[in-house]
Amino acid sequence: MCGIFGCVGSSDCVGEVFNGLSFLEYRGYDSSGIAALSSDSIHLVKKKGRVAALRSALFSSSLSGSPSIGHTRWATHGAPDDSNAHPFLSDDSSFALVHNGVIENYLELKKFLSSYGFSFSSETDSEVIVNLIQYFYNGDTLLALSETVKRLKGSFALAVISSYDKDKIFFAKKDNPLVLGLNNGVGYVCSDYPGLSSRVDKCVALDDGTLGFISPYDIALFDFSLSPLQPVFTHVIKDDNLSIGHYEHFMRKEIDEIPEAVSRALNSYYMSFPASVFDGINRIVFIGCGTALHAGLVAKRLLRELSPSLDCYAESSGEFVFSDFPVNGTLFVPVSQSGETADTLSAVKKIKSSGGKILAVCNVPSSSIVRESDNVILTSAGTEIAVASTKAYNCQLAVLTAFCLDAAKYFSSDENIPFIDSALCELLAIPSKLKVVISCENLVSLLAEKYSSAQSVFYLGRGLDFCVACEGSLKLKEISYVHSEAYPAGELKHGTLALIENGVLVIAVITQRLLLDKMITCLAEVKSRGAKIIAVSPFSDDKLSALSDHIVAIPAVCDILTPIVSVVPTQLFAYFSALYRGCDIDKPRNLAKSVTVE
Ligand code: F6R
């Protein structure tokens, strides 16, 4: 979703802002722009499309200066075109602003400003903010900003430059992330932590209800009523692995990183897991969106098998806010790669305000969800740049599996302990199985090419395999734009079987020995209606071989660990399908890496 990058130093900052925006491309966007202060006036360049279009426009302009702010926009109010792209200038051109979030009362503010003669050049909610700053300006930009934000309803992360203030970027934050950093006479403002991690050693992740300004050597922080606050710096965990290397796409690179990432995730779990979270608990609720929800579904199923005395649920964050789980005796486990997903963050805030106990599973340190939660397991997957989540998902599964086994140990009777201990040992060896499963890439690539014109793909599984089917199906839709659905295999005959006809592709995940015969029955049903079947399975079984058109063999692991491994061929299948269909794999249409609006 929208990205902000700003920079203030002693020399021209436009190049640095452009590089910052190029990094933020992974968040998903449809236009971009940069404003800079030079010789007492603000100039800007903005363009529809990728930052490559902005680069060409910057070349033909002479935009330079400091401070400078830039933005990548993911359209909400108004079409993705040049006029709706950020930054926006105030009516008198003395202020420029970039905004992430949604202003709910913008129409009434627009009406108010219009009655004072302000004119608007865009359809956005954001443009009212910069004009409101101009309206309130009376020689003090900070005061004008404070008066402005008090009148905004909705969510915002703002960066503002002013022709009256030569070496300052002003900022304000409510319900949308904003991070600050200083390095050697340069001040930075960025909408996410990864965007700053290569530039600064320490950063300040802003809390809601704060505003202020950053200059080359200093940060001044206030609440919305301008009472001073002390900035809290946290050390940045460096990720040296941010370049694409020899890969064509980050997604493919990130799949190769899965074994190492999972081993880091397990280390991080064992270094920091607070076993006391289970005290007084009889219910666990996993919460997340998309891929993170699928990780929660796996965990729910594992716990139901391993600790039947616990009450377990997995809820979509967007639905969770309408549900009413009792707080007493419940541990809430929000799962999020970015730590900024608005629906999950709202759920966390709701739980927090009712006094609930939270253990977050998150990949980004200092993210909003991490800061709002009592306890955290960091998945330590490293920065994930492709919009489609892969390595972060495998890491979520690894730490959630360790968590479920620990819960089972805490809640189960003694006779289960040997089984749990042996599964824990096998979990530590899972990175080596992951290295093996990635080597199915050549076969998966051939299959993806063969079926690259499929109109529709059905993913089937039972039990844990159904959760993997859901994730495989989501990944395919997301990056290759092929219609796809996941079904618990037994459900198919209750309606969806009507869609199975000659040549329809079915991908079946079959890893649970006890469910093999039932899966074979389902495969026979689709086969007899003309489906083509790809089975992802560790089993060599005559009936399975006879029914399947292709088998992607995966290494055998104990049943409860299979999701971490069996999802990999489905990730690769989505990747190669998108490749053969000529899709923009790392930046799929309409999607954003971090979904910061509800
Ligand atoms: C799919 C994908 C999304 C995210 C979802 C939640 O590949 O990446 O479905 O999983 O938007 O994001 P996080 O995990 O950042 O909360």
Side-chain angles (χ1 to χ4, degrees), residues 199-351:
R199 292 177 167 84
V200 300
D201 294 329
K202 286 188 284 180
C203 72
V204 178
L206 293 180
D207 286 327
D208 281 344
T210 52
L211 56 73
F213 58 82
I214 183 165
S215 48
Y217 291 96
D218 201 18
I219 293 172
L221 203 59
F222 306 86
D223 66 17
F224 283 177
S225 305
L226 294 183
S227 301
L229 299 168
Q230 207 49 46
V232 179
F233 284 88
T234 51
H235 276 280
V236 165
I237 300 170
K238 298 281 180 192
D239 187 343
D240 302 329
N241 190 20
L242 295 178
S243 79
I244 196 162
H246 65 276
Y247 291 90
E248 202 181 333
H249 300 100
F250 276 103
M251 182 180 174
R252 183 64 197 85
K253 173 175 182 255
E254 286 159 7
I255 292 174
D256 270 356
E257 288 168 355
I258 290 172
E260 234 180 86
V262 164
S263 135
R264 264 198 317 273
L266 289 170
N267 267 337
S268 152
Y269 175 86
Y270 286 112
M271 301 277 285
S272 62
F273 180 64
S276 60
V277 291
F278 295 129
D279 297 345
I281 290 303
N282 53 33
R283 184 180 305 101
I284 299 188
V285 182
F286 299 95
I287 307 156
C289 299
T291 290
L293 173 62
H294 293 157
L297 286 175
V298 170
K300 176 192 83 174
R301 234 166 228 285
L302 286 178
L303 273 185
R304 286 197 175 162
E305 259 175 53
L306 293 166
S307 301
S309 65
L310 272 173
D311 211 9
C312 296
Y313 303 86
E315 291 283 305
S316 154
S317 312
E319 296 297 308
F320 176 82
V321 285
F322 308 114
S323 65
D324 236 342
F325 286 99
V327 163
N328 279 345
T330 305
L331 175 66
F332 295 94
V333 184
V335 183
S336 174
Q337 186 286 127
S338 63
E340 302 295 351
T341 300
D343 286 327
T344 309
L345 185 57
S346 291
V348 167
K349 287 182 177 169
K350 179 182 162 179
I351 299 161

Side-chain angles (χ1 to χ4, degrees), residues 463-518:
L464 284 170
D465 291 336
F466 168 61
C467 306
V468 174
C470 291
E471 177 56 11
S473 169
L474 175 69
K475 213 95 300 177
L476 185 73
K477 287 189 260 256
E478 189 181 2
I479 58 168
S480 70
Y481 318 143
V482 174
H483 168 256
S484 156
E485 293 181 37
Y487 278 91
E491 264 298 303
L492 206 66
K493 55 188 173 297
H494 299 288
T496 311
L497 200 56
L499 294 176
I500 306 292
E501 56 185 357
N502 246 351
V504 166
L505 181 60
V506 168
I507 298 184
V509 184
I510 311 173
T511 68
Q512 309 291 301
R513 172 68 67 186
L514 284 177
L515 299 175
L516 178 60
D517 286 342
K518 285 198 182 305

Side-chain angles (χ1 to χ4, degrees), residues 10-41:
S10 57
S11 53
D12 178 27
C13 288
V14 171
E16 182 73 341
V17 171
F18 179 80
N19 290 337
L21 291 186
S22 304
F23 179 81
L24 293 180
E25 274 196 286
Y26 78 102
R27 289 170 67 95
Y29 70 103
D30 37 52
S31 60
S32 60
I34 297 181
L37 178 67
S38 168
S39 316
D40 295 338
S41 56

Side-chain angles (χ1 to χ4, degrees), residues 159-174:
V160 179
I161 56 175
S162 145
S163 57
Y164 306 114
D165 301 89
K166 309 258 168 289
D167 58 357
K168 290 181 181 137
I169 298 176
F170 295 86
F171 54 79
K173 181 227 188 280
K174 181 179 164 269

